[in-house]
Amino acid sequence: MSHQSELIASDIQAYLKSQEEKGLLRFITCGSVDDGKSTLIGRMLWDSKLIFEDQLAALEADSKRVGTQGEAIDYALLLDGLQAEREQGITIDVAYRYFSTDRRKFIVADTPGHEQYTRNMVTGASTAQVAVILIDARKGILTQTRRHSYLVSLVGIRHVVLAINKMDLVGYDGERFAGIVRDYEVFAAGLGFDQVAAIPISALKGDNVLTRSDRTPWYQGPPLLEFLEQVEVADTALRKPFRMRVQWVNRPHLDFRGYCGTVASGVVRPGDELVVAASGQTSKIARIVTLDGDLDEAVAGQAVTLTLADELDISRGDTLAAASDRPYQEDGFEAKLVWLHEEPLVPGRSYLLKAGAATTPARVRQLRFKVNVNSLQQEAGEALALNEVGICNITLDRPIAFDSYRENRGTGNFILIDRQTNATVGAGMIHQPLLAGVGEHWSALALDRAALARQKDQVPGVLWFSAAEAAKAEQLASLVAKRLYARGRHVFLLGSHAVGRSQKQGDRTSPDRLGADARLLVEAGLIVLAPLPAAPAGGRQAILSSLAPADCREVCIGALPEATEGPWGQFPVAEEITAELAEQVVRQLFP
């Protein structure tokens, strides 16, 4: 590997020591398709002589084979490693690269420009401190430029480099550069960036990437790499109150119980008083344990194990916090939500919310408005589609500990997970708890059949099983109930077991009584599976007529025990009761 430092060959220990003392900067490159993100990073690695010899040989061979730059080197191939990326000449997945200079260490994330891969861009930006937003000098500001700028501000990045690329294709026109900068400053005025540094570059030719270019004498600022070496990104996490989410309770033997996790913010030392956010119990730190021995203090970013002076009930997902400055502990909050899935957000549907190691069922109770990322205007809407951003009120099944994302990125974020597919469908940044809104919400909420059904994410109703032989009806109803349970449905089997218990309390097997019981269960939002018992003539009809027709469906095993007419559906099936038959019924009635 070629490297600028001569210490590698002369004194490797001194070189490693110098690396440890350097600060680390995480940044991303983002922008529209073909703006030159991968080429820029490849050029920086190439000019910094940070490419292995075998990578260099492979890059030269690949450049000749692909031929996108003629006989010249195609620097984008250093980042676009996937076959599909090379074939299409685009970035699909996030590519991370590490490199260092004499002043600083860097981790750069090359993110995709296509709108459909916006989720990948958000992933890359979530840990970055600086964003390099590329703009093609020929095209100016595009939709993806606005989208990525908004998302960069959304995840809390406050330092932006506006890298106006391909200046060689506009003749290094200073007026063109100035015009794009003016347009961007107007757009980004409300995004809350602390710094926007505009640099004219040519990633392909190397102008203003590592060294200042003679072709842009009208530009007096630093080249890109020099700016990245000098930009001051304050690590505010150290100045914030202590927070640590427990990832694991380490109990190797009876004399040790440690709580493992990464310090999200603040500084903590033995003797400091802590509080368990969920229970409110307090204790003091006894030890800060690491593999290399105990520490006198732990700071944000360090992975440690804490032992406490008292035996407290603490488990995975709990949050340890400074006793003097506690996080919110609420079951609802307002948040910005970026939707990351092809299937749109459905307000009221149950999802899993994961914040750190804590996971709890959650619902988007209200989509207050959507944000048009092109104009930054608020728009009304009932759902969020892929890549859309909205302000939502979210309620949880149980309280969790959190901070405002603006105050603490480590404890103010979350993701939403589809409960059936386990796909990550949304990423959120918390604004504030619904302290006032929660009370208004609950007082206005009617716990009727519709609300209970929404909670269970299903349509309640009664599925009657009719057969000349009662045993067959009960057998099929039981199999169907298990199939529905496996699909996450909330069911109740109104079979002989339940009826038998009722008989001890009196005669509750009369047709009208069975119908009344089924109706109550439907009102509770349940799917009731009821094998019809032997009943006197007309009894079956009396049971079914006691319910709303829309609530009833019927599975008939073989011939009907008596002729019936009604608006409910009938599903004649085979004589043999099997698991396959139960699955067939479920597929027909609950597609």
Side-chain angles (χ1 to χ4, degrees):
M1 172 182 169
S2 300
H3 195 280
Q4 292 176 325
S5 177
E6 297 177 352
L7 288 177
I8 293 179
S10 60
D11 190 345
I12 187 64
Q13 294 299 329
Y15 171 75
L16 294 176
K17 181 65 176 177
S18 67
Q19 293 295 307
E20 292 179 357
E21 294 174 350
K22 291 178 184 174
L24 173 66
L25 180 73
R26 293 175 176 267
F27 70 97
I28 62 167
T29 58
C30 54
S32 191
V33 181
D34 293 332
D35 280 350
K37 301 178 290 297
S38 300
T39 301
L40 174 61
I41 300 175
R43 183 83 205 195
M44 293 174 69
L45 298 176
W46 174 275
D47 288 354
S48 302
K49 300 180 180 179
L50 295 169
I51 303 174
F52 291 99
E53 297 296 341
D54 57 337
Q55 290 178 320
L56 178 61
L59 178 62
E60 291 175 340
D62 290 343
S63 298
K64 292 179 181 178
R65 179 174 54 80
V66 175
T68 52
Q69 300 298 333
E71 294 297 322
I73 296 292
D74 185 352
Y75 301 105
L77 297 179
L78 279 172
L79 280 298
D80 294 340
L82 300 177
Q83 183 67 25
E85 290 179 327
R86 296 189 169 202
E87 290 175 351
Q88 302 178 56
I90 63 172
T91 300
I92 296 176
D93 203 357
V94 181
Y96 293 93
R97 288 291 183 274
Y98 168 86
F99 67 97
S100 66
T101 65
D102 291 338
R103 297 179 179 177
R104 214 169 207 173
K105 295 182 288 189
F106 299 94
I107 295 177
V108 54
D110 181 28
T111 62
H114 271 287
E115 181 178 351
Q116 70 186 95
Y117 301 123
T118 298
R119 74 193 87 177
N120 302 24
M121 179 266 166
V122 174
T123 302
S126 61
T127 58
Q129 299 158 296
V130 174
V132 179
I133 300 177
L134 278 92
I135 294 178
D136 189 327
R138 301 167 301 170
K139 302 175 183 175
I141 299 174
L142 302 176
T143 299
Q144 278 299 79
T145 309
R146 297 187 180 93
R147 179 182 299 277
H148 286 182
S149 298
Y150 179 72
L151 293 174
V152 161
S153 71
L154 201 64
V155 300
I157 297 176
R158 294 291 173 261
H159 299 272
V160 167
V161 179
L162 192 65
I164 301 178
N165 191 23
K166 304 185 182 181
M167 291 298 298
D168 54 311
L169 300 181
V170 296
Y172 299 97
D173 185 352
E175 289 300 321
R176 177 62 179 163
F177 170 79
I180 294 174
V181 173
R182 284 194 298 271
D183 292 344
Y184 188 82
E185 287 176 344
V186 171
F187 165 74
L191 295 181
F193 294 135
D194 293 338
Q195 181 182 22
V196 178
I199 302 176
I201 66 170
S202 171
L204 187 63
K205 305 292 184 182
D207 295 300
N208 291 325
V209 177
L210 259 66
T211 58
R212 188 173 299 173
S213 173
D214 295 334
R215 297 163 177 156
T216 56
W218 39 266
Y219 173 69
Q220 302 301 316
L224 177 60
L225 187 59
E226 182 179 330
F227 175 86
L228 294 174
E229 286 179 324
Q230 297 178 351
V231 62
E232 295 184 3
V233 181
D235 191 357
T236 57
L238 292 178
R239 300 198 297 268
K240 297 183 182 301
F242 171 74
R243 301 283 188 268
M244 190 183 90
R245 285 168 165 166
V246 177
Q247 296 175 322
W248 180 42
V249 179
N250 187 7
R251 183 140 170 93
H253 53 76
L254 294 177
D255 299 325
F256 185 90
R257 176 182 285 112
Y259 306 101
C260 310
T262 299
V263 179
S265 63
V267 180
V268 69
R269 302 177 181 86
D272 287 354
E273 187 175 15
L274 299 184
V275 63
V276 183
S279 64
Q281 295 176 297
T282 60
S283 182
K284 291 185 178 180
I285 292 181
R287 296 172 55 197
I288 302 175
V289 181
T290 71
L291 184 63
D292 298 323
D294 287 10
L295 300 178
D296 294 331
E297 68 175 21
V299 300
Q302 282 187 289
V304 296
T305 297
L306 303 181
T307 65
L308 303 183
D310 305 289
E311 295 289 339
L312 302 182
D313 180 13
I314 302 174
S315 58
R316 173 181 165 82
D318 280 337
T319 297
L320 303 180
S324 58
D325 196 337
R326 305 183 181 191
Y328 298 114
Q329 180 73 20
E330 302 292 342
D331 63 354
F333 52 75
E334 178 189 274
K336 281 183 179 174
L337 189 62
V338 183
W339 198 247
L340 306 176
H341 200 266
E342 289 80 4
E343 186 176 340
L345 162 72
V346 180
R349 181 178 174 182
S350 178
Y351 297 95
L352 291 178
L353 183 144
K354 186 173 179 60
T359 302
T360 181
R363 287 173 176 77
V364 179
R365 288 295 181 190
Q366 180 187 15
L367 173 58
R368 297 183 58 195
F369 56 83
K370 298 196 291 188
V371 178
N372 186 321
V373 297
N374 297 320
S375 62
L376 303 184
Q377 298 298 310
Q378 301 177 5
E379 296 179 349
E382 298 181 352
L384 287 179
L386 175 66
N387 296 327
E388 287 190 323
V389 181
I391 308 298
C392 306
N393 288 348
I394 297 177
T395 55
L396 315 173
D397 281 13
R398 63 178 176 83
I400 65 169
F402 60 85
D403 293 288
S404 164
Y405 186 81
R406 179 168 287 276
E407 296 297 324
N408 196 324
R409 291 176 70 176
T411 53
N413 57 40
F414 65 90
I415 60 172
L416 287 183
I417 301 171
D418 187 288
R419 301 189 68 166
Q420 294 184 345
T421 65
N422 283 328
T424 300
V425 295
M429 284 63 69
I430 300 173
H431 282 178
Q432 57 190 0
L434 295 174
L435 294 176
V438 167
E440 296 170 2
H441 166 75
W442 289 120
S443 61
L445 177 63
L447 287 178
D448 54 9
R449 167 178 164 170
L452 296 173
R454 282 198 303 271
Q455 184 187 42
K456 299 174 176 61
D457 194 21
Q458 64 185 20
V459 178
V462 183
L463 192 60
W464 294 100
F465 291 79
S466 301
E469 300 178 39
K472 284 190 174 182
E474 289 229 9
Q475 185 181 357
L476 182 58
S478 177
L479 290 174
V480 171
K482 292 175 181 176
R483 290 279 184 288
L484 291 174
Y485 176 81
R487 292 188 175 198
R489 305 301 177 97
H490 297 253
V491 301
F492 187 86
L493 182 60
L494 195 61
S496 59
H497 177 67
V499 171
R501 280 196 314 222
S502 296
Q503 283 179 324
K504 296 177 182 178
Q505 302 169 6
D507 183 13
R508 305 185 66 180
T509 59
S510 63
D512 57 343
R513 187 70 203 185
L514 284 174
D517 287 348
R519 186 173 66 250
L520 285 176
L521 294 169
V522 170
E523 292 297 320
L526 298 173
I527 297 174
V528 182
L529 297 103
L532 277 174
R540 174 176 176 279
Q541 191 69 19
I543 293 173
L544 300 178
S545 61
S546 65
L547 291 148
D551 290 340
C552 296
R553 283 186 285 187
E554 188 173 14
V555 173
C556 299
I557 305 172
L560 293 176
E562 63 183 40
T564 61
E565 292 183 0
W568 50 82
Q570 296 178 345
F571 299 87
V573 296
E575 293 284 351
E576 186 180 0
I577 307 302
T578 63
E580 290 73 17
L581 176 59
E583 183 63 27
Q584 177 188 346
V585 173
V586 170
R587 283 200 301 268
Q588 286 187 24
L589 299 181
F590 303 93

